[in-house]
């Protein structure tokens, strides 16, 4: 991937990224329903020796390293071009690992773990001394999750250490939901990519901070806010999710970076169906006059004369599963501008709208 296409990289990251030595990236196909243990062992061996393996989880593909080893974790930041203050999620396969990683487990954590683990829920808690600062981007809390995907579970178990794994994309790009996406971004930068098919959920885990008095939702994702509220009651919502302008500190350091973006410029349009449709028609003709290639993502099956129209449909599970793949397809077709019709923020819709909002170069409310 060309460096020019990565707008989020700062200068230091750009230099490190550019000077990286190329390596041979091996792709290993593993059966997601019944992972072959001999293959899992090959991948585990790579992580144990301090190198990087991309692997599927039920949310998106992760880029894994030994979470307790600073040198290994550093390689993640370099391979992705990820800013060093953006902390990683640690993946575990056993509750005993959580006890080792955190200082204290509050009741709210026990309740959520009983209900949602293994699954797409990440808990932020006070970190223990065992976790190196580099893994948490220098802060004193740590994010932990137990994935449900069988390959991920087997890999963690076989490695015998917790695995730090952010999404396996170049920083700022859409998260990968297939091994091909990983390969497009990271070929030559990591030792191995496990191909375990398309990921199920398609957007990243929900992140909730339980290190404070009132739990706070930091990132909406696979487990919905409504599901969380049913178990633990009151949850504060980080202002960036509510999309109100705020000067407050970024509780989740990753929040300050633009994310998930295809190279095409996304314009997110929210409002009543008729108004949005008219706006899309108007913008479409304007951009076409300027000679732009225009893509459209819409929930309503309307015929637009665009270069590529994707009907989202109204099944939220399907929209989430296909969202990042669609972003990448717009890039493959060299689309310049994508007009996206917003959806309701209920249920999984909150996570989907959060990703669209973060990917957007412009938002229009009518
Ligand atoms: P990724 O796995 O690439 O989707 O990124 C991990 C996400 O988890 C980022 O948004 C981080 O900011 C967030 N995260 C990880 N650790 C922490 C932490 N200790 N406190 C708050 N947010 C965290
Ligand atoms: Mg990510």
């Amino acid at each position: 991937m060309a460096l020019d296409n990565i707008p989020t990289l700062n200068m230091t990251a750009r230099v490190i990224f550019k000077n990286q030595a190329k390596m041979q990236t091996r792709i290993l196909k593993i059966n997601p329903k019944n992972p072959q243990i001999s293959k899992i062992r090959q991948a585990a061996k790579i992580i144990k020796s301090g190198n990087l393996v991309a692997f599927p989880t039920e949310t998106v593909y992760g880029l894994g390293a030994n979470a307790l080893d600073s040198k290994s974790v550093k390689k993640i930041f370099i391979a992705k071009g990820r800013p060093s203050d953006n902390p990683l999620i640690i993946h575990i396969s056993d509750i005993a690992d959580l006890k080792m990683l955190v200082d204290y487990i509050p009741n709210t954590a026990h309740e959520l773990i009983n209900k949602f683990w293994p699954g797409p829920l990440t808990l932020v808690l006070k970190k223990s001394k065992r976790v190196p600062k580099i893994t948490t981007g220098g802060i004193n809390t740590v994010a932990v999750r137990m994935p449900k995907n069988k390959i991920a579970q087997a890999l963690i178990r076989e490695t015998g250490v917790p695995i730090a794994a952010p999404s396996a994309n170049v920083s700022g790009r859409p998260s990968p939901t297939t091994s091909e996406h990983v390969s497009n971004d990271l070929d030559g930068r990591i030792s191995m990519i496990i191909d375990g098919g398309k990921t199920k959920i398609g957007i990243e885990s929900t992140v909730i901070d339980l290190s404070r008095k009132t739990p706070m939702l930091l990132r909406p994702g696979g487990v919905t806010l409504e599901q969380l509220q049913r178990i633990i009651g009151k949850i504060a919502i980080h202002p960036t999710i509510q999309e109100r302008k705020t000067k407050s500190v970024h509780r989740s350091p990753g929040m300050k970076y633009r994310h998930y973006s295809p190279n095409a410029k996304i314009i997110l349009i929210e409002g009543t169906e008729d108004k949005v449709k008219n706006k899309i028609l108007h913008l479409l003709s304007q951009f076409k006059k300027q000679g732009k290639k225009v893509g459209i993502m819409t929930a309503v099956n309307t015929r637009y004369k665009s270069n590529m129209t994707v009907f989202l449909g109204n099944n939220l599970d399907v929209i989430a599963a296909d969202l990042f793949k669609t972003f990448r397809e717009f890039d493959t077709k060299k689309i310049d501008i994508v007009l996206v019709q917003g959806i309701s923020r209920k249920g999984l819709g909150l996570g989907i709208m959060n990703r669209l909002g973060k990917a957007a170069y412009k938002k229009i409310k009518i």
Side-chain angles (χ1 to χ4, degrees):
M1 131 142 309
L3 283 177
D4 303 343
N5 291 337
I6 310 166
T8 44
L9 282 190
N10 62 31
M11 276 319 284
T12 323
R14 232 168 244 279
V15 171
I16 295 173
F17 205 74
K18 207 172 173 175
N19 293 338
Q20 256 182 97
K22 278 264 177 188
M23 63 175 87
Q24 185 78 32
T25 301
R26 201 178 143 210
I27 297 178
L28 186 65
K29 209 176 172 87
I30 298 188
N31 182 348
K33 293 203 179 106
N34 191 9
Q36 302 91 324
I37 192 67
S38 60
K39 292 188 176 182
I40 293 287
R41 283 200 184 116
Q42 294 175 38
K45 203 172 153 195
I46 292 175
I47 295 186
K48 279 192 269 192
S49 73
N51 291 304
L52 307 184
V53 174
F55 62 96
T57 78
E58 70 274 27
T59 58
V60 300
Y61 272 74
L63 179 59
N66 178 352
L68 304 179
D69 178 53
S70 302
K71 270 194 193 150
S72 304
V73 171
K74 191 173 177 195
K75 291 181 184 172
I76 292 182
F77 286 93
I78 293 173
K80 279 183 62 106
R82 185 176 175 105
S84 60
D85 63 348
N86 192 357
L88 309 177
I89 294 173
I90 301 185
H91 294 68
I92 59 172
S93 62
D94 193 297
I95 290 290
D97 289 340
L98 179 68
K99 293 182 184 141
M100 180 233 302
L101 299 171
V102 307
D103 203 29
Y104 167 71
I105 306 177
N107 266 337
T108 46
H110 286 296
E111 287 169 348
L112 292 176
I113 287 168
N114 283 339
K115 182 75 187 169
F116 299 111
W117 276 13
L121 178 67
T122 297
L123 307 180
V124 171
L125 296 163
K126 286 256 150 58
K127 84 174 198 66
S128 74
K129 289 204 174 73
R130 288 294 300 277
V131 183
K133 277 267 164 108
I134 184 170
T135 307
T136 66
I139 56 179
N140 62 6
T141 54
V142 61
V144 187
R145 169 167 115 81
M146 188 188 287
K148 197 170 185 171
N149 180 291
K150 284 187 176 169
I151 294 175
Q153 285 186 352
L155 180 64
I156 302 163
R157 227 179 295 120
E158 204 53 42
T159 309
V161 290
I163 295 183
S167 49
N169 50 284
V170 161
S171 207
R173 297 257 303 146
S175 294
T177 55
T178 65
S179 66
E180 288 79 24
H181 297 164
V182 180
S183 180
N184 286 342
D185 278 17
L186 297 175
D187 183 48
R189 297 181 192 284
I190 62 179
S191 300
M192 178 181 275
I193 300 170
I194 296 178
D195 177 0
K198 187 182 170 193
T199 61
K200 194 162 170 265
I201 297 174
I203 60 171
E204 304 83 348
S205 62
T206 303
V207 181
I208 186 165
D209 185 354
L210 300 176
S211 72
R212 54 201 316 276
K213 216 166 161 200
T214 307
M216 181 181 265
L217 181 70
L218 301 182
R219 178 174 77 182
V223 173
T224 67
L225 175 62
E226 293 87 339
Q227 284 177 303
L228 295 172
Q229 283 165 333
R230 252 175 260 140
I231 306 295
I232 57 166
K234 193 169 186 298
I235 298 172
I237 299 173
H238 193 277
T240 54
I241 300 170
Q242 292 172 318
E243 302 221 325
R244 287 201 206 111
K245 286 236 163 68
T246 173
K247 283 185 182 156
S248 73
V249 288
H250 294 274
R251 181 165 296 279
S252 189
M255 287 173 163
K256 66 182 179 229
Y257 301 105
R258 190 160 157 237
H259 261 99
Y260 317 120
S261 305
N263 296 325
K265 286 187 168 148
I266 289 187
I267 301 181
L268 179 59
I269 309 162
E270 282 184 82
T272 57
E273 214 171 288
D274 275 356
K275 282 189 177 167
V276 172
K277 189 180 157 187
N278 285 336
K279 190 77 185 175
I280 290 181
L281 283 168
H282 173 72
L283 290 175
L284 176 61
S285 83
Q286 260 194 345
F287 285 124
K288 275 170 76 174
K289 268 184 216 150
Q290 294 169 20
K292 304 276 189 216
K293 280 185 92 172
V294 185
I296 292 174
M297 260 171 95
T298 162
V300 190
N301 197 341
T302 311
R303 278 187 197 283
Y304 292 105
K305 288 184 177 147
S306 71
N307 298 88
M308 176 176 166
T309 300
V310 177
F311 298 119
L312 294 174
N314 52 18
N315 181 331
L316 293 177
D317 291 334
V318 176
I319 298 175
D322 288 345
L323 186 71
F324 291 136
K325 178 182 84 145
T326 307
F327 280 2
R328 285 175 183 261
E329 282 166 5
F330 283 123
D331 282 350
T332 310
K333 294 240 164 100
K334 302 231 170 348
I335 300 290
D336 300 302
I337 309 247
V338 184
L339 307 172
V340 181
Q341 177 178 20
I343 58 168
S344 154
R345 287 185 170 75
K346 287 208 188 88
L348 200 52
L350 185 66
I352 294 167
M353 283 301 283
N354 170 261
R355 305 307 187 277
L356 285 170
K358 283 193 160 195
Y361 133 93
K362 190 173 174 185
K363 293 177 214 168
I364 300 174
K365 285 195 180 147
I366 41 173

